[in-house]
Amino acid sequence: MKVPLGITTLHLSRKSALLLLLAAGLLGFGGYDYVQQSQAVNNAVAVQATITDARVDRLDGGRGIDYEPEIHYTYRYQGETYTSKQVFPSTGIRTYSDRSKAESVVESYEPGTTTRAYVSPADPDDAFLIRERTPFPLRAIAVGGVLSVIGVLAGLGAKNPGQQELRPASEGQPAPRESWVARHGATMHRLSKQLLGICFAAFWLSMVGLVLGLLNTGGFGGAPQGIQAELLGPVGLPLIAAFCFWVGMILSLCLYGVWSFTEYRQLRQRLPAPKPPSPFRHPSRLVTILGTEDGSLSEYGKRVRLTGWALLIAAGMTTALAYLLYTAG
C-alpha cells in the first residue's frame, strides 16, 4: 500500500497499516476523552449528593487483578432527581492495581452521608464526584504517538533491508584489532543465555511464592493491611527476589546485546560495496528489519534483528521497572 505524505510516499505493509490504524484509534479516543474531561472539569457546577452505596469491586481480567471504587449516589439538579455511579469525569473506568488505593477513594463516601458532586449543565444526568482528570487519555495519546512513529518509520524504510548477502570471510577487509568483547565473545554469549534462562525461571518461581505469601496473609480480597507485610516476610522476600531476577534479566539482555552488536559489526565488514546505511543510525531501516520474518533475512539481517530486539526488550523492561518503582513510591 502506497500513501502519499508530503514530499515522500509511505510504503505500508499490512502490519504497518494495522499499526497505524491502531495508533489513530488510540490518538482519537485519547484526544476525545481528554477534551471531554477538560470540559467537564471546567464547566461543571457543584450540587449536593447523597451516597447510597460505596464499595470496592474486584475485577479479574487477563492482565491480572484490578480494583474499582464503585460509589452510587443521587442528586438533584434544576428540580430533577438523578442517580450516578461515576467517580471521575471520564468515559472509561478508572481502576487500581493496589486495593488500598481504591479503598482510600471509597472511605471518604459513607452510605447515607451527603457530599459534593459536579454536574455539567449540558449533560446533567452524567455527574461525577472527584473534580480531576484521569491519566488514561494522556497514556493513550502517548502509546498512540509511539505506535504512529513506528508505523511511519516502517513505511519510510527501504523495502528490503537486511537481505544483503555477505562476501566470504576470506574476501573481507583486514580484520581490525580485536576488542575485549570480541576476544571473550563466546563466553559472553554463553553467560548471557544461561543468566537469562535462570533469571526467567527464578522470576516466575518468585511470583508463585508471592501468590502463596499473599494467600497466607489474606492479601487477596482481604483488608489492605494484609499486604503491608515485613520486608523479610512471606510477601517481602518474594518481592525482593522478583526485583533482583527482573534486573538480572535486563542485565543478561544487555550483555547479549553488546555481544550481538559486536558480531553485527564484524558481519558488516563483509558486506559488498556500496554498503547500505547502518540500521542503528537509521531508525526507519531498523524498524523494518525488526518487523521482518527471519526467513526473509540474510545472516547479516538476522544479526541486526536479534541485536535490535534484545536491546529494545531490555529498554522496555527497564522502563516498566522504573514506572513500577515510581508508582510504588
Side-chain angles (χ1 to χ4, degrees):
M1 179 189 300
K2 295 182 180 180
V3 179
L5 186 66
I7 60 175
T8 187
T9 301
L10 293 181
H11 298 272
L12 298 178
S13 64
R14 181 178 298 179
K15 292 181 180 178
S16 299
L18 291 175
L19 195 66
L20 287 176
L21 185 62
L22 176 61
L26 287 171
L27 289 171
F29 183 77
Y32 168 78
D33 199 29
Y34 181 82
V35 172
Q36 185 268 338
Q37 289 192 46
S38 298
Q39 292 177 345
V41 169
N42 295 333
N43 301 331
V45 296
V47 296
Q48 190 177 61
T50 302
I51 307 298
T52 58
D53 186 27
R55 63 180 184 271
V56 173
D57 284 346
R58 173 174 163 169
L59 306 176
D60 296 325
R63 299 183 307 167
I65 299 174
D66 289 324
Y67 299 95
E68 176 195 355
E70 185 164 330
I71 304 171
H72 296 255
Y73 53 95
T74 62
Y75 60 95
R76 290 182 61 83
Y77 180 73
Q78 293 185 347
E80 297 289 335
T81 301
Y82 301 91
T83 62
S84 178
K85 62 176 183 177
Q86 189 166 325
V87 181
F88 295 94
S90 173
T91 56
I93 299 175
R94 183 170 184 176
T95 60
Y96 300 86
S97 58
D98 187 347
R99 183 184 180 91
S100 62
K101 292 183 178 179
E103 290 186 340
S104 67
V105 176
V106 173
E107 66 184 8
S108 301
Y109 301 97
E110 291 289 336
T113 61
T114 58
T115 187
R116 180 179 297 177
Y118 298 93
V119 179
S120 172
D123 193 11
D125 60 346
D126 196 15
F128 55 93
L129 295 175
I130 300 178
R131 197 173 188 175
E132 64 180 42
R133 301 179 184 88
T134 63
F136 174 77
L138 294 180
R139 292 176 183 173
I141 292 173
V143 174
V146 171
L147 293 180
S148 63
V149 169
I150 293 175
V152 170
L153 287 176
L156 291 175
K159 291 184 179 180
N160 300 309
Q163 299 182 14
Q164 296 83 0
E165 295 298 331
L166 300 174
R167 295 178 297 175
S170 58
E171 299 180 10
Q173 299 178 356
R177 184 177 178 181
E178 283 191 333
S179 63
W180 184 91
V181 175
R183 292 195 303 271
H184 300 83
T187 302
M188 291 180 62
H189 183 213
R190 185 179 67 257
L191 286 178
S192 64
K193 295 179 71 174
Q194 291 176 349
L195 180 62
L196 180 60
I198 293 172
C199 290
F200 180 82
F203 172 80
W204 287 110
L205 286 175
S206 65
M207 288 291 99
V208 173
L210 177 61
V211 171
L212 294 176
L214 289 171
L215 290 174
N216 290 333
T217 57
F220 284 126
Q225 58 266 25
I227 303 178
Q228 298 172 0
E230 295 180 358
L231 189 62
L232 299 181
V235 174
L237 277 176
L239 278 176
I240 295 174
F243 172 82
C244 294
F245 292 128
W246 187 270
V247 173
M249 286 190 285
I250 294 174
L251 293 178
S252 63
L253 286 169
C254 291
L255 186 64
Y256 179 88
V258 171
W259 167 82
S260 188
F261 186 78
T262 302
E263 292 291 306
Y264 148 77
R265 294 184 63 184
Q266 293 177 354
L267 290 176
R268 189 169 174 79
Q269 297 295 324
R270 294 167 51 191
L271 288 176
K275 294 182 180 180
S278 170
F280 295 100
R281 295 183 179 179
H282 294 77
S284 61
R285 301 182 70 89
L286 179 60
V287 168
T288 303
I289 293 175
L290 291 178
T292 304
E293 299 294 334
D294 272 352
S296 302
L297 297 172
S298 64
E299 181 184 0
Y300 167 79
K302 291 178 181 178
R303 180 51 51 197
V304 172
R305 189 172 186 267
L306 287 172
T307 306
W309 274 118
L311 297 178
L312 187 63
I313 294 172
M317 293 179 66
T318 302
T319 302
L321 182 60
Y323 176 77
L324 289 175
L325 292 175
Y326 173 77
T327 54

